[in-house]
């Protein structure tokens, strides 16, 4: 039986850092409120001339270097993003061209904050099924472009960034299991109201920005993530406490603490980046993974649980041995 494994990781954060203190001047908020209610202290914002593709390219190049692969090796590209540069060509194709990768499947998928988990689950199927030998999997966002900077209930939360991994075949897992799910009945709790087909009309009053009923999202997120980690443990006959590292979607410290409690994991076994990155949607999990790999916390052989929850609602987890 063939498996897949993560061969290398990378990330890119734009240079500009926006602090909570700066936000105090922009909207009626305080550093204290943002820290206490979310855990976020600062976030990175893309420069005017930087797009999601630019961020994705930097993260991808880092992951390729870490894995020791070049453009000629890559034969599958999938990018999770909610903020692509253009509707089409898809961001996977744009990235393929930028990196000089030859003809291969290249696509973007939109599963909001779960985009990277979905992308990794799909890449695993292609690589372990023998249909790809070197997959580039990216989560990349410029959420600052779809944020209403006058809305304090959302603008204090989001940030920009990109994370990437290279997935290659392995004789042993590697990726052990991926669990993907969604429930569209929650579509009205977290959404961006317009698109190419549902265009903004003169009578539309909603801003062209992220809309979130934060408190309601919070409650479903906690319950759903508790349930997905239970599902992941049960599917693999694992007991609580057997996971070495939790790499959660970085939305809210209180949501992450609830998931860690469910897993009986102390917080020093949870990779936290939200204080520095904010919520970067599809980019948050691969960036957190890269941070902990590069600073030496995550070692080869460690058992990792990656999870995410976001608009849709979508959610999912990936259990893997690094
Ligand atoms: O990433 C994908 C999924 N997204 C999430 O998982 C996000 C989930 N939700 C959350 O993280 C939290 O709900 C938020 C951080 C968005 C909000 O925290 P909360 O504790 O749920 O606050 P709330 O919405 O219940 O609001 C509490 C109070 C309200 O004032 P009143 O009505 O009690 O007077 C808000 O108007 O806090 C107020 N508030 C703020 N105050 C200062 C809301 N935003 C702010 C702000 N600064 N930025």
């Amino acid at each position: 039986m063939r498996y897949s494994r993560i061969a290398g990781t990378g990330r890119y954060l734009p240079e500009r850092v926006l602090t909570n203190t700066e936000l105090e001047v922009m909207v009626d908020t305080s550093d204290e409120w943002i820290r206490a209610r979310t855990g976020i202290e600062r976030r990175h914002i893309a420069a005017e001339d930087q797009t999601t593709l630019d961020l994705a390219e930097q993260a991808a190049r880092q992951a390729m270097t870490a894995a020791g692969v070049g453009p000629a090796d890559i034969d599958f590209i999938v990018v999770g993003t909610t903020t692509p540069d253009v509707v089409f060509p898809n961001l996977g194709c744009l990235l393929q061209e930028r990196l000089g990768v030859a003809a291969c499947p290249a696509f973007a998928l939109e599963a909001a904050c779960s985009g990277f988990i979905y992308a990794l689950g799909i890449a695993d199927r292609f690589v372990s099924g023998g249909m790809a030998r070197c997959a580039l999997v990216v989560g990349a966002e410029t959420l600052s472009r779809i944020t209403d900077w006058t809305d304090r209930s959302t603008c204090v939360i989001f940030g920009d960034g990109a994370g990437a991994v290279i997935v290659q075949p392995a004789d042993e897992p590697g990726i052990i299991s991926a669990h993907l799910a969604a429930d569209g009945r929650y579509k009205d709790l977290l959404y961006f109201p317009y698109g190419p087909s549902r265009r903004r009309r003169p009578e539309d009053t909603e801003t062209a920005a992220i809309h979130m009923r934060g408190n309601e999202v919070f409650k479903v997120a906690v319950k759903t993530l508790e349930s997905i980690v239970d599902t992941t443990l049960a599917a693999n006959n694992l007991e609580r406490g057997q996971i070495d590292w939790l790499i959660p979607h970085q939305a809210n410290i209180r949501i992450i603490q609830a998931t860690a409690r469910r897993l009986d994991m102390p917080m020093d076994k949870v990779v936290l980046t939200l204080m520095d990155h904010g919520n970067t949607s599809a980019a948050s999990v691969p960036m957190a993974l890269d941070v902990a790999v590069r600073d030496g916390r995550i070692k080869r052989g460690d058992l990792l649980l990656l999870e995410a929850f976001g608009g849709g609602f979508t959610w999912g987890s990936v259990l893997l041995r690094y």
Side-chain angles (χ1 to χ4, degrees):
M1 172 138 183
R2 187 160 126 147
Y3 300 96
S4 81
R5 68 187 268 272
I6 291 183
T9 65
R11 74 177 183 283
Y12 177 77
L13 286 150
E15 263 176 46
R16 165 84 168 105
V17 174
L18 179 68
T19 63
N20 289 353
T21 317
E22 287 176 270
L23 281 165
E24 286 179 350
V25 196
M26 297 162 63
V27 288
D28 180 14
T29 190
S30 66
D31 174 46
E32 193 191 355
W33 190 95
I34 303 170
R35 281 176 198 248
R37 305 309 295 168
T38 71
I40 298 167
E41 297 172 19
R42 59 191 73 82
R43 68 288 290 142
H44 292 247
I45 304 292
E48 201 59 46
D49 60 353
Q50 268 182 325
T51 67
T52 301
L53 173 62
D54 298 322
L55 276 49
E57 178 193 354
Q58 297 303 325
R61 289 193 189 279
Q62 264 202 14
M64 288 161 66
T65 303
V69 303
D73 299 306
I74 293 172
D75 59 1
F76 186 90
I77 299 176
V78 55
V79 185
T81 185
T82 313
T83 47
D85 292 30
V86 293
V87 174
F88 70 89
N90 75 63
L91 200 62
C93 293
L94 298 183
L95 188 57
Q96 177 187 35
E97 190 272 341
R98 198 54 94 73
L99 296 171
V101 172
C104 71
F107 61 102
L109 66 83
E110 200 279 279
C113 301
S114 313
F116 176 79
I117 296 289
Y118 269 56
L120 187 57
I122 292 166
D124 167 54
R125 288 302 162 107
F126 272 78
V127 173
S128 61
M131 292 169 289
R133 290 199 55 80
C134 186
L136 170 61
V137 186
V138 182
E141 304 280 11
T142 46
L143 294 177
S144 63
R145 302 275 154 77
I146 59 165
T147 297
D148 177 353
W149 290 100
T150 65
D151 174 11
R152 71 173 183 175
S153 70
T154 53
C155 78
V156 302
I157 294 165
F158 300 110
D160 301 337
V165 301
I166 296 290
V167 177
Q168 290 186 317
D171 294 331
E172 288 172 17
I175 294 178
I176 298 165
S177 69
H179 307 265
L180 311 179
D183 189 341
R185 286 174 299 177
Y186 292 105
K187 65 184 172 46
D188 297 327
L189 295 189
L190 179 51
Y191 61 95
F192 182 91
Y194 309 113
S197 180
R198 168 69 177 87
R199 289 194 279 180
R200 189 173 188 178
R201 298 161 303 202
E203 63 271 29
D204 286 321
T205 52
E206 282 189 304
T207 49
I210 300 170
H211 292 257
M212 178 166 77
R213 289 180 12 211
N215 201 267
E216 289 166 75
V217 177
F218 184 99
K219 287 175 193 152
V220 185
V222 168
K223 267 183 22 205
T224 307
L225 287 168
E226 284 179 351
S227 143
I228 192 80
V229 298
D230 285 351
T231 303
T232 311
L233 293 181
N236 295 287
N237 294 318
L238 285 170
E239 300 292 327
R240 293 156 167 232
Q242 282 189 278
I243 308 287
D244 293 314
W245 291 100
L246 175 65
I247 297 109
H249 171 48
Q250 310 282 321
N252 187 308
I253 186 70
R254 293 176 291 135
I255 297 176
I256 296 173
Q257 285 163 339
T259 311
R261 271 196 301 274
R262 186 67 161 214
L263 285 164
D264 263 350
M265 291 186 76
M267 285 305 284
D268 61 1
K269 285 294 182 182
V270 179
V271 180
L272 290 178
T273 54
L274 87 169
M275 30 327 161
D276 298 323
H277 298 178
N279 179 345
T280 58
S281 188
S284 94
V285 170
M287 287 205 294
L289 174 64
D290 183 64
V291 165
V293 165
R294 281 176 196 269
D295 70 19
R297 274 179 288 172
I298 292 179
K299 301 202 169 30
R300 286 283 170 204
D302 284 353
L303 190 59
L304 315 184
L305 179 54
L306 283 50
E307 49 85 336
F309 176 90
F313 288 148
T314 57
W315 64 93
S317 67
V318 173
L319 180 76
L320 66 94
R321 206 163 275 288
Y322 185 68

